Amino acid sequence: MAKATHSPEASGADTLLKLIASSSTLELDSEREGVWIEVIRKMDEVYSDLLRYEVDLEHKNAELEEAQAFVTNVIESVSDILVVCDAKGTVQQASSAFLQTSGRSLADISGRNIAEMIDLPHRTQLPSLLKPRSSAEVVDGELRFAAGGSSSDLFAINSSPRHDHRGRFIGVVLTGRPIGELRRAYEALHKAHQELQRAQRQLVEQEKMASLGRLVAGVAHELNNPISFVYGNIHTLMRYRTSLVGYLDAVHEQPVADELAALRSDLRIDAILEDFGPLIEGTLEGAVRISEIVKNLRRLSFSKLGEVERVNIERLINTAVLWAGRTKQHRVDIQIEVEPDVWISGNEGQLHQVIVNLVENAIDAMRSTEQPRLLVAAGRQGNEIVFRIADNGPGIDQDHLSHIFEPFFTTKRVGEGTGLGLWISYGIVREHGGELIASNASEGGATFSFALPAA
């Protein structure tokens, strides 16, 4: 066997390569044999590591594919839309829900700006959704997307920022769900709730009015008898006064004794006769006023509408305004705006009383107003006739708005009002199927309005 030799200057690796390349039988010394064995062992370790790394890499790739499939599955199964954009708003990825909403494929929207897919009136909100910000800051908005020449339903959008491993802002993730149906349902629920509250208030008000009606019916009945006595006695007293004055005048036309003349002077008979007239007139005026209050109270105790007939609104308002204006001394510019040929079914006398009450109250409220103006209007709105009496006076105090239709509530001076006019008017309107509403106009003044079914 030939023995391999080498020069001391040659490296171990070069010598080993030469020996391996040689076809002759190699005989190594113990030192070179150890190097060879070490190289083989290292190669075996490297090969084993490569095999292990390859197996691990395959496992990792399988896990990554499973995770990617899972995430894709989850995103596709969510009904909310999801759009991934870069910092400039370019679409990078989108869920199938968004593709269905926009009516486009992923190939159509990838690489395009998200603004092209948003309805034009809503594009102004886009800068706030795409602006750079910290990872904890989520921006909300509402958008409509352009879908096949039309607009999608309204979506509530959440914009979450994206950052790279260095913390730099690289884009946003937009998620959203349709809220149009939810908003419409909420608006319908809110409207139903308001209608329910209105119905509850009406029921409470009706029960209160019914209770007050029963109460005032008894009071009016009890007051009616003594008022009748006062009326009868005053008229009798007026006849007695006439007879006494005639008798005394006849007696004193004849010469009388000095004692009788002195007695007339001491008893102040002439002054008493002069006071008789004003005293009787004042008493009669008070009795008439009490009688009117009793009549109003008795009218409120009846729930029946009375005789129902077709009422011409134009004639009703013209007559009522004319009557109300005659009783007032200060001048008011009254404008009447009534749609021609509108009719309602009801009691004309009661409706006349309502208009008169409202017009008189408006005129009284404008006593201190320069250039007072009053608008009395009526017109058709759908199947209803809407009445409106508006003035340019000081308006109604906010504290009084909730009490203005209560019985005996009045802001007029003592002796000028009983506080029953608006209460009576409210009851009449309610009996005719409407609701009398008081409010303050934004430009000033008070407005009373109500709507009744058209005939």
Side-chain angles (χ1 to χ4, degrees), residues 232-290:
N233 292 342
I234 289 176
H235 287 291
T236 302
L237 188 58
M238 292 176 67
R239 293 197 304 271
Y240 288 171
R241 171 183 174 275
T242 303
S243 299
L244 288 174
V245 170
Y247 174 75
L248 291 175
D249 288 343
V251 168
H252 287 278
E253 284 179 358
Q254 306 296 329
V256 296
D258 295 338
E259 293 82 1
L260 187 59
L263 182 61
R264 177 170 180 166
S265 176
D266 292 339
L267 296 178
R268 302 180 61 193
I269 298 300
D270 294 332
I272 291 174
L273 292 177
E274 291 178 0
D275 285 344
F276 254 117
L279 289 174
I280 292 176
E281 290 176 1
T283 305
L284 182 60
E285 182 181 351
V288 169
R289 184 173 179 80
I290 295 175

Tab-separated table of all heavy atoms in Angstrom, residues 232-290:
chain	number	residue	atom	x	y	z
A	232	GLY	N	-133.758	87.698	39.902
A	232	GLY	CA	-135.155	88.068	40.161
A	232	GLY	C	-135.272	89.214	41.144
A	232	GLY	O	-136.071	90.138	40.960
A	233	ASN	N	-134.460	89.168	42.192
A	233	ASN	CA	-134.534	90.216	43.209
A	233	ASN	C	-134.080	91.567	42.664
A	233	ASN	O	-134.648	92.613	43.021
A	233	ASN	CB	-133.675	89.827	44.412
A	233	ASN	CG	-134.250	88.633	45.154
A	233	ASN	OD1	-135.430	88.306	44.999
A	233	ASN	ND2	-133.426	87.980	45.968
A	234	ILE	N	-133.063	91.563	41.809
A	234	ILE	CA	-132.580	92.837	41.259
A	234	ILE	C	-133.651	93.464	40.368
A	234	ILE	O	-133.911	94.681	40.439
A	234	ILE	CB	-131.277	92.611	40.477
A	234	ILE	CG1	-130.142	92.286	41.449
A	234	ILE	CG2	-130.923	93.845	39.663
A	234	ILE	CD1	-128.841	91.967	40.773
A	235	HIS	N	-134.264	92.649	39.527
A	235	HIS	CA	-135.306	93.200	38.655
A	235	HIS	C	-136.502	93.700	39.473
A	235	HIS	O	-137.090	94.749	39.179
A	235	HIS	CB	-135.757	92.147	37.645
A	235	HIS	CG	-134.747	91.873	36.566
A	235	HIS	ND1	-134.433	92.799	35.603
A	235	HIS	CD2	-133.962	90.788	36.325
A	235	HIS	CE1	-133.516	92.308	34.793
A	235	HIS	NE2	-133.204	91.073	35.213
A	236	THR	N	-136.834	92.961	40.539
A	236	THR	CA	-137.911	93.421	41.424
A	236	THR	C	-137.514	94.713	42.115
A	236	THR	O	-138.313	95.659	42.256
A	236	THR	CB	-138.230	92.337	42.469
A	236	THR	OG1	-138.603	91.130	41.784
A	236	THR	CG2	-139.371	92.773	43.376
A	237	LEU	N	-136.278	94.789	42.576
A	237	LEU	CA	-135.782	95.989	43.236
A	237	LEU	C	-135.811	97.186	42.284
A	237	LEU	O	-136.101	98.317	42.710
A	237	LEU	CB	-134.363	95.747	43.748
A	237	LEU	CG	-133.745	96.838	44.627
A	237	LEU	CD1	-134.605	97.102	45.858
A	237	LEU	CD2	-132.338	96.452	45.046
A	238	MET	N	-135.514	96.971	41.019
A	238	MET	CA	-135.576	98.050	40.042
A	238	MET	C	-137.013	98.573	39.899
A	238	MET	O	-137.235	99.788	39.814
A	238	MET	CB	-135.049	97.575	38.686
A	238	MET	CG	-133.553	97.286	38.663
A	238	MET	SD	-132.996	96.619	37.079
A	238	MET	CE	-133.266	98.043	36.042
A	239	ARG	N	-137.982	97.669	39.903
A	239	ARG	CA	-139.381	98.119	39.821
A	239	ARG	C	-139.775	98.868	41.085
A	239	ARG	O	-140.446	99.908	41.040
A	239	ARG	CB	-140.302	96.913	39.613
A	239	ARG	CG	-140.122	96.239	38.254
A	239	ARG	CD	-141.317	95.345	37.932
A	239	ARG	NE	-141.543	94.344	38.973
A	239	ARG	CZ	-140.971	93.144	38.970
A	239	ARG	NH1	-140.158	92.808	37.982
A	239	ARG	NH2	-141.230	92.296	39.939
A	240	TYR	N	-139.344	98.361	42.249
A	240	TYR	CA	-139.650	99.045	43.508
A	240	TYR	C	-139.044	100.438	43.529
A	240	TYR	O	-139.659	101.403	43.998
A	240	TYR	CB	-139.119	98.237	44.698
A	240	TYR	CG	-139.888	96.968	44.983
A	240	TYR	CD1	-139.413	96.036	45.908
A	240	TYR	CD2	-141.093	96.703	44.337
A	240	TYR	CE1	-140.115	94.882	46.180
A	240	TYR	CE2	-141.787	95.538	44.588
A	240	TYR	CZ	-141.311	94.626	45.514
A	240	TYR	OH	-142.003	93.480	45.784
A	241	ARG	N	-137.811	100.550	43.033
A	241	ARG	CA	-137.157	101.857	43.011
A	241	ARG	C	-137.970	102.832	42.170
A	241	ARG	O	-138.179	103.990	42.562
A	241	ARG	CB	-135.749	101.713	42.440
A	241	ARG	CG	-135.046	103.046	42.173
A	241	ARG	CD	-133.678	102.826	41.544
A	241	ARG	NE	-133.065	104.090	41.165
A	241	ARG	CZ	-133.270	104.731	40.032
A	241	ARG	NH1	-134.104	104.217	39.130
A	241	ARG	NH2	-132.681	105.888	39.789
A	242	THR	N	-138.409	102.374	41.003
A	242	THR	CA	-139.204	103.250	40.142
A	242	THR	C	-140.477	103.710	40.847
A	242	THR	O	-140.852	104.893	40.794
A	242	THR	CB	-139.549	102.514	38.847
A	242	THR	OG1	-138.332	102.095	38.205
A	242	THR	CG2	-140.321	103.421	37.904
A	243	SER	N	-141.116	102.785	41.536
A	243	SER	CA	-142.364	103.130	42.241
A	243	SER	C	-142.094	104.100	43.389
A	243	SER	O	-142.818	105.100	43.576
A	243	SER	CB	-143.036	101.854	42.778
A	243	SER	OG	-143.360	100.979	41.709
A	244	LEU	N	-141.032	103.841	44.152
A	244	LEU	CA	-140.731	104.711	45.288
A	244	LEU	C	-140.349	106.109	44.830
A	244	LEU	O	-140.767	107.118	45.429
A	244	LEU	CB	-139.589	104.106	46.114
A	244	LEU	CG	-139.944	102.856	46.940
A	244	LEU	CD1	-138.696	102.271	47.594
A	244	LEU	CD2	-140.969	103.214	48.034
A	245	VAL	N	-139.546	106.195	43.795
A	245	VAL	CA	-139.149	107.513	43.297
A	245	VAL	C	-140.374	108.272	42.796
A	245	VAL	O	-140.540	109.477	43.059
A	245	VAL	CB	-138.092	107.360	42.170
A	245	VAL	CG1	-137.862	108.698	41.477
A	245	VAL	CG2	-136.780	106.842	42.750
A	246	GLY	N	-141.262	107.587	42.093
A	246	GLY	CA	-142.485	108.250	41.631
A	246	GLY	C	-143.370	108.720	42.767
A	246	GLY	O	-143.912	109.842	42.712
A	247	TYR	N	-143.492	107.895	43.773
A	247	TYR	CA	-144.322	108.280	44.918
A	247	TYR	C	-143.720	109.473	45.659
A	247	TYR	O	-144.413	110.447	45.978
A	247	TYR	CB	-144.479	107.087	45.859
A	247	TYR	CG	-145.192	107.434	47.147
A	247	TYR	CD1	-146.576	107.636	47.172
A	247	TYR	CD2	-144.476	107.598	48.334
A	247	TYR	CE1	-147.228	107.972	48.351
A	247	TYR	CE2	-145.116	107.930	49.511
A	247	TYR	CZ	-146.492	108.109	49.512
A	247	TYR	OH	-147.123	108.443	50.689
A	248	LEU	N	-142.424	109.408	45.921
A	248	LEU	CA	-141.793	110.500	46.661
A	248	LEU	C	-141.810	111.794	45.863
A	248	LEU	O	-142.000	112.887	46.425
A	248	LEU	CB	-140.339	110.124	47.008
A	248	LEU	CG	-140.188	108.995	48.050
A	248	LEU	CD1	-138.731	108.628	48.213
A	248	LEU	CD2	-140.775	109.436	49.405
A	249	ASP	N	-141.625	111.706	44.571
A	249	ASP	CA	-141.702	112.925	43.758
A	249	ASP	C	-143.112	113.512	43.808
A	249	ASP	O	-143.285	114.748	43.884
A	249	ASP	CB	-141.326	112.599	42.305
A	249	ASP	CG	-139.838	112.321	42.156
A	249	ASP	OD1	-139.054	112.692	43.070
A	249	ASP	OD2	-139.434	111.723	41.125
A	250	ALA	N	-144.098	112.637	43.759
A	250	ALA	CA	-145.489	113.129	43.825
A	250	ALA	C	-145.795	113.756	45.174
A	250	ALA	O	-146.477	114.788	45.266
A	250	ALA	CB	-146.458	111.973	43.553
A	251	VAL	N	-145.295	113.150	46.242
A	251	VAL	CA	-145.553	113.694	47.579
A	251	VAL	C	-144.913	115.055	47.724
A	251	VAL	O	-145.508	116.018	48.253
A	251	VAL	CB	-145.037	112.712	48.645
A	251	VAL	CG1	-145.027	113.382	50.020
A	251	VAL	CG2	-145.909	111.467	48.682
A	252	HIS	N	-143.684	115.188	47.279
A	252	HIS	CA	-142.954	116.436	47.525
A	252	HIS	C	-143.252	117.510	46.490
A	252	HIS	O	-142.723	118.615	46.588
A	252	HIS	CB	-141.444	116.136	47.561
A	252	HIS	CG	-141.040	115.414	48.820
A	252	HIS	ND1	-140.816	116.068	50.010
A	252	HIS	CD2	-140.835	114.094	49.072
A	252	HIS	CE1	-140.468	115.180	50.937
A	252	HIS	NE2	-140.481	113.970	50.384
A	253	GLU	N	-144.078	117.163	45.484
A	253	GLU	CA	-144.534	118.230	44.599
A	253	GLU	C	-145.552	119.130	45.302
A	253	GLU	O	-145.712	120.287	44.930
A	253	GLU	CB	-145.166	117.615	43.335
A	253	GLU	CG	-144.147	117.066	42.351
A	253	GLU	CD	-144.844	116.449	41.144
A	253	GLU	OE1	-146.091	116.432	41.132
A	253	GLU	OE2	-144.125	115.976	40.217
A	254	GLN	N	-146.234	118.594	46.312
A	254	GLN	CA	-147.192	119.361	47.108
A	254	GLN	C	-146.448	120.041	48.257
A	254	GLN	O	-145.397	119.561	48.694
A	254	GLN	CB	-148.283	118.440	47.659
A	254	GLN	CG	-148.992	117.604	46.583
A	254	GLN	CD	-149.736	118.471	45.601
A	254	GLN	OE1	-150.232	119.551	45.953
A	254	GLN	NE2	-149.817	118.010	44.348
A	255	PRO	N	-146.982	121.116	48.734
A	255	PRO	CA	-146.364	121.761	49.917
A	255	PRO	C	-146.362	120.787	51.090
A	255	PRO	O	-147.367	120.135	51.379
A	255	PRO	CB	-147.264	122.962	50.184
A	255	PRO	CG	-147.943	123.212	48.878
A	255	PRO	CD	-148.134	121.905	48.232
A	256	VAL	N	-145.218	120.646	51.711
A	256	VAL	CA	-145.077	119.735	52.842
A	256	VAL	C	-144.683	120.508	54.081
A	256	VAL	O	-144.184	121.648	54.003
A	256	VAL	CB	-144.022	118.655	52.547
A	256	VAL	CG1	-144.481	117.781	51.377
A	256	VAL	CG2	-142.671	119.282	52.207
A	257	ALA	N	-144.926	119.869	55.192
A	257	ALA	CA	-144.580	120.513	56.465
A	257	ALA	C	-143.067	120.630	56.586
A	257	ALA	O	-142.315	119.861	55.990
A	257	ALA	CB	-145.152	119.697	57.625
A	258	ASP	N	-142.668	121.616	57.377
A	258	ASP	CA	-141.227	121.804	57.564
A	258	ASP	C	-140.585	120.576	58.201
A	258	ASP	O	-139.430	120.235	57.905
A	258	ASP	CB	-140.980	123.045	58.437
A	258	ASP	CG	-141.434	124.322	57.732
A	258	ASP	OD1	-141.526	124.285	56.468
A	258	ASP	OD2	-141.655	125.331	58.421
A	259	GLU	N	-141.340	119.897	59.083
A	259	GLU	CA	-140.767	118.721	59.740
A	259	GLU	C	-140.481	117.607	58.726
A	259	GLU	O	-139.437	116.946	58.788
A	259	GLU	CB	-141.741	118.191	60.813
A	259	GLU	CG	-141.940	119.116	62.000
A	259	GLU	CD	-142.965	120.209	61.697
A	259	GLU	OE1	-143.514	120.188	60.537
A	259	GLU	OE2	-143.201	121.048	62.553
A	260	LEU	N	-141.385	117.450	57.715
A	260	LEU	CA	-141.178	116.410	56.716
A	260	LEU	C	-139.993	116.741	55.811
A	260	LEU	O	-139.190	115.871	55.450
A	260	LEU	CB	-142.458	116.251	55.883
A	260	LEU	CG	-142.469	115.078	54.886
A	260	LEU	CD1	-142.264	113.753	55.599
A	260	LEU	CD2	-143.777	115.049	54.104
A	261	ALA	N	-139.842	118.030	55.472
A	261	ALA	CA	-138.707	118.427	54.644
A	261	ALA	C	-137.384	118.231	55.378
A	261	ALA	O	-136.372	117.780	54.806
A	261	ALA	CB	-138.857	119.876	54.207
A	262	ALA	N	-137.413	118.572	56.692
A	262	ALA	CA	-136.193	118.391	57.488
A	262	ALA	C	-135.846	116.910	57.614
A	262	ALA	O	-134.669	116.513	57.548
A	262	ALA	CB	-136.373	119.025	58.863
A	263	LEU	N	-136.902	116.082	57.782
A	263	LEU	CA	-136.653	114.644	57.893
A	263	LEU	C	-136.053	114.084	56.601
A	263	LEU	O	-135.146	113.252	56.620
A	263	LEU	CB	-137.973	113.936	58.227
A	263	LEU	CG	-137.873	112.414	58.432
A	263	LEU	CD1	-136.939	112.101	59.608
A	263	LEU	CD2	-139.262	111.826	58.664
A	264	ARG	N	-136.540	114.586	55.455
A	264	ARG	CA	-135.981	114.131	54.160
A	264	ARG	C	-134.515	114.502	54.038
A	264	ARG	O	-133.701	113.725	53.534
A	264	ARG	CB	-136.783	114.746	53.023
A	264	ARG	CG	-136.243	114.386	51.637
A	264	ARG	CD	-137.183	114.789	50.541
A	264	ARG	NE	-136.610	114.413	49.223
A	264	ARG	CZ	-137.305	114.397	48.117
A	264	ARG	NH1	-138.600	114.729	48.127
A	264	ARG	NH2	-136.740	114.058	46.974
A	265	SER	N	-134.214	115.707	54.536
A	265	SER	CA	-132.819	116.146	54.465
A	265	SER	C	-131.947	115.359	55.422
A	265	SER	O	-130.828	114.966	55.078
A	265	SER	CB	-132.733	117.639	54.770
A	265	SER	OG	-131.384	118.060	54.792
A	266	ASP	N	-132.453	115.121	56.648
A	266	ASP	CA	-131.650	114.386	57.633
A	266	ASP	C	-131.403	112.944	57.193
A	266	ASP	O	-130.314	112.392	57.409
A	266	ASP	CB	-132.357	114.404	58.998
A	266	ASP	CG	-132.396	115.804	59.612
A	266	ASP	OD1	-131.546	116.639	59.183
A	266	ASP	OD2	-133.244	116.055	60.479
A	267	LEU	N	-132.383	112.346	56.590
A	267	LEU	CA	-132.238	110.950	56.156
A	267	LEU	C	-131.553	110.814	54.804
A	267	LEU	O	-131.359	109.711	54.314
A	267	LEU	CB	-133.612	110.272	56.094
A	267	LEU	CG	-134.346	110.130	57.425
A	267	LEU	CD1	-135.714	109.497	57.225
A	267	LEU	CD2	-133.527	109.317	58.416
A	268	ARG	N	-131.204	111.925	54.191
A	268	ARG	CA	-130.492	111.938	52.903
A	268	ARG	C	-131.246	111.111	51.861
A	268	ARG	O	-130.682	110.297	51.141
A	268	ARG	CB	-129.091	111.409	53.071
A	268	ARG	CG	-128.245	112.183	54.082
A	268	ARG	CD	-126.863	111.596	54.185
A	268	ARG	NE	-126.171	111.665	52.902
A	268	ARG	CZ	-125.037	110.995	52.646
A	268	ARG	NH1	-124.525	110.190	53.556
A	268	ARG	NH2	-124.464	111.119	51.467
A	269	ILE	N	-132.535	111.367	51.817
A	269	ILE	CA	-133.364	110.600	50.889
A	269	ILE	C	-132.951	110.860	49.447
A	269	ILE	O	-132.889	109.946	48.623
A	269	ILE	CB	-134.845	110.946	51.106
A	269	ILE	CG1	-135.282	110.570	52.529
A	269	ILE	CG2	-135.710	110.239	50.071
A	269	ILE	CD1	-135.142	109.115	52.842
A	270	ASP	N	-132.611	112.095	49.110
A	270	ASP	CA	-132.228	112.417	47.735
A	270	ASP	C	-130.937	111.687	47.328
A	270	ASP	O	-130.818	111.162	46.208
A	270	ASP	CB	-132.047	113.930	47.580
A	270	ASP	CG	-133.368	114.676	47.757
A	270	ASP	OD1	-134.416	114.070	47.461
A	270	ASP	OD2	-133.336	115.841	48.178
A	271	ALA	N	-129.959	111.648	48.263
A	271	ALA	CA	-128.703	110.946	47.954
A	271	ALA	C	-128.929	109.442	47.791
A	271	ALA	O	-128.333	108.789	46.918
A	271	ALA	CB	-127.672	111.206	49.054
A	272	ILE	N	-129.810	108.905	48.614
A	272	ILE	CA	-130.106	107.471	48.513
A	272	ILE	C	-130.753	107.153	47.183
A	272	ILE	O	-130.415	106.161	46.530
A	272	ILE	CB	-131.008	107.038	49.689
A	272	ILE	CG1	-130.222	107.098	51.005
A	272	ILE	CG2	-131.555	105.625	49.461
A	272	ILE	CD1	-131.058	106.831	52.233
A	273	LEU	N	-131.692	108.024	46.763
A	273	LEU	CA	-132.347	107.779	45.484
A	273	LEU	C	-131.353	107.856	44.326
A	273	LEU	O	-131.461	107.120	43.348
A	273	LEU	CB	-133.471	108.797	45.288
A	273	LEU	CG	-134.682	108.653	46.227
A	273	LEU	CD1	-135.690	109.767	45.972
A	273	LEU	CD2	-135.339	107.289	46.052
A	274	GLU	N	-130.361	108.781	44.444
A	274	GLU	CA	-129.345	108.871	43.387
A	274	GLU	C	-128.437	107.635	43.364
A	274	GLU	O	-127.972	107.212	42.306
A	274	GLU	CB	-128.502	110.126	43.585
A	274	GLU	CG	-129.274	111.418	43.322
A	274	GLU	CD	-128.422	112.648	43.566
A	274	GLU	OE1	-127.218	112.467	43.952
A	274	GLU	OE2	-128.904	113.773	43.379
A	275	ASP	N	-128.163	107.066	44.543
A	275	ASP	CA	-127.286	105.879	44.610
A	275	ASP	C	-128.002	104.605	44.195
A	275	ASP	O	-127.334	103.604	43.877
A	275	ASP	CB	-126.731	105.700	46.031
A	275	ASP	CG	-125.645	106.713	46.339
A	275	ASP	OD1	-125.129	107.318	45.383
A	275	ASP	OD2	-125.315	106.899	47.524
A	276	PHE	N	-129.320	104.639	44.217
A	276	PHE	CA	-130.062	103.431	43.868
A	276	PHE	C	-129.675	102.916	42.480
A	276	PHE	O	-129.442	101.725	42.278
A	276	PHE	CB	-131.584	103.711	43.906
A	276	PHE	CG	-132.254	103.105	45.111
A	276	PHE	CD1	-132.872	103.904	46.059
A	276	PHE	CD2	-132.271	101.732	45.276
A	276	PHE	CE1	-133.493	103.349	47.160
A	276	PHE	CE2	-132.902	101.168	46.374
A	276	PHE	CZ	-133.507	101.982	47.324
A	277	GLY	N	-129.623	103.827	41.528
A	277	GLY	CA	-129.348	103.426	40.148
A	277	GLY	C	-127.997	102.749	39.983
A	277	GLY	O	-127.913	101.594	39.492
A	278	PRO	N	-126.869	103.412	40.362
A	278	PRO	CA	-125.555	102.773	40.221
A	278	PRO	C	-125.424	101.470	41.003
A	278	PRO	O	-124.806	100.514	40.529
A	278	PRO	CB	-124.581	103.834	40.743
A	278	PRO	CG	-125.298	105.124	40.549
A	278	PRO	CD	-126.746	104.827	40.772
A	279	LEU	N	-126.032	101.428	42.211
A	279	LEU	CA	-125.935	100.204	43.008
A	279	LEU	C	-126.634	99.036	42.318
A	279	LEU	O	-126.105	97.924	42.241
A	279	LEU	CB	-126.545	100.430	44.394
A	279	LEU	CG	-125.742	101.328	45.339
A	279	LEU	CD1	-126.517	101.589	46.622
A	279	LEU	CD2	-124.402	100.696	45.669
A	280	ILE	N	-127.796	99.299	41.791
A	280	ILE	CA	-128.547	98.228	41.128
A	280	ILE	C	-127.827	97.810	39.844
A	280	ILE	O	-127.713	96.613	39.534
A	280	ILE	CB	-129.992	98.691	40.842
A	280	ILE	CG1	-130.751	98.850	42.158
A	280	ILE	CG2	-130.702	97.699	39.931
A	280	ILE	CD1	-132.164	99.407	41.996
A	281	GLU	N	-127.312	98.801	39.100
A	281	GLU	CA	-126.607	98.465	37.860
A	281	GLU	C	-125.340	97.657	38.132
A	281	GLU	O	-125.037	96.685	37.422
A	281	GLU	CB	-126.263	99.749	37.110
A	281	GLU	CG	-127.479	100.457	36.531
A	281	GLU	CD	-127.109	101.780	35.883
A	281	GLU	OE1	-125.887	102.098	35.884
A	281	GLU	OE2	-128.001	102.473	35.379
A	282	GLY	N	-124.587	98.045	39.168
A	282	GLY	CA	-123.378	97.293	39.509
A	282	GLY	C	-123.689	95.880	39.959
A	282	GLY	O	-122.999	94.922	39.594
A	283	THR	N	-124.739	95.766	40.747
A	283	THR	CA	-125.139	94.422	41.197
A	283	THR	C	-125.589	93.567	40.025
A	283	THR	O	-125.242	92.387	39.931
A	283	THR	CB	-126.280	94.536	42.233
A	283	THR	OG1	-125.872	95.392	43.306
A	283	THR	CG2	-126.622	93.164	42.777
A	284	LEU	N	-126.335	94.175	39.112
A	284	LEU	CA	-126.795	93.436	37.944
A	284	LEU	C	-125.614	93.021	37.053
A	284	LEU	O	-125.582	91.903	36.531
A	284	LEU	CB	-127.774	94.299	37.143
A	284	LEU	CG	-128.389	93.638	35.898
A	284	LEU	CD1	-129.168	92.393	36.289
A	284	LEU	CD2	-129.291	94.622	35.162
A	285	GLU	N	-124.619	93.921	36.921
A	285	GLU	CA	-123.442	93.579	36.112
A	285	GLU	C	-122.677	92.412	36.726
A	285	GLU	O	-122.246	91.483	36.028
A	285	GLU	CB	-122.523	94.794	35.993
A	285	GLU	CG	-121.286	94.554	35.136
A	285	GLU	CD	-120.385	95.769	35.059
A	285	GLU	OE1	-120.800	96.854	35.527
A	285	GLU	OE2	-119.272	95.637	34.524
A	286	GLY	N	-122.520	92.428	38.046
A	286	GLY	CA	-121.854	91.310	38.719
A	286	GLY	C	-122.630	90.018	38.567
A	286	GLY	O	-122.048	88.943	38.343
A	287	ALA	N	-123.946	90.093	38.657
A	287	ALA	CA	-124.776	88.896	38.495
A	287	ALA	C	-124.658	88.342	37.075
A	287	ALA	O	-124.610	87.114	36.874
A	287	ALA	CB	-126.233	89.223	38.828
A	288	VAL	N	-124.614	89.261	36.080
A	288	VAL	CA	-124.468	88.812	34.694
A	288	VAL	C	-123.125	88.112	34.502
A	288	VAL	O	-123.031	87.062	33.846
A	288	VAL	CB	-124.596	90.007	33.730
A	288	VAL	CG1	-124.184	89.613	32.308
A	288	VAL	CG2	-126.015	90.553	33.735
A	289	ARG	N	-122.067	88.674	35.111
A	289	ARG	CA	-120.736	88.068	34.978
A	289	ARG	C	-120.704	86.679	35.622
A	289	ARG	O	-120.184	85.721	35.047
A	289	ARG	CB	-119.704	88.980	35.635
A	289	ARG	CG	-118.266	88.487	35.463
A	289	ARG	CD	-117.292	89.532	35.994
A	289	ARG	NE	-115.926	89.061	35.863
A	289	ARG	CZ	-115.220	89.098	34.742
A	289	ARG	NH1	-115.766	89.563	33.644
A	289	ARG	NH2	-113.983	88.654	34.708
A	290	ILE	N	-121.283	86.561	36.805
A	290	ILE	CA	-121.340	85.254	37.469
A	290	ILE	C	-122.161	84.281	36.634
A	290	ILE	O	-121.828	83.097	36.504
A	290	ILE	CB	-121.930	85.403	38.882
A	290	ILE	CG1	-120.989	86.240	39.761
A	290	ILE	CG2	-122.151	84.041	39.515
A	290	ILE	CD1	-121.546	86.552	41.134
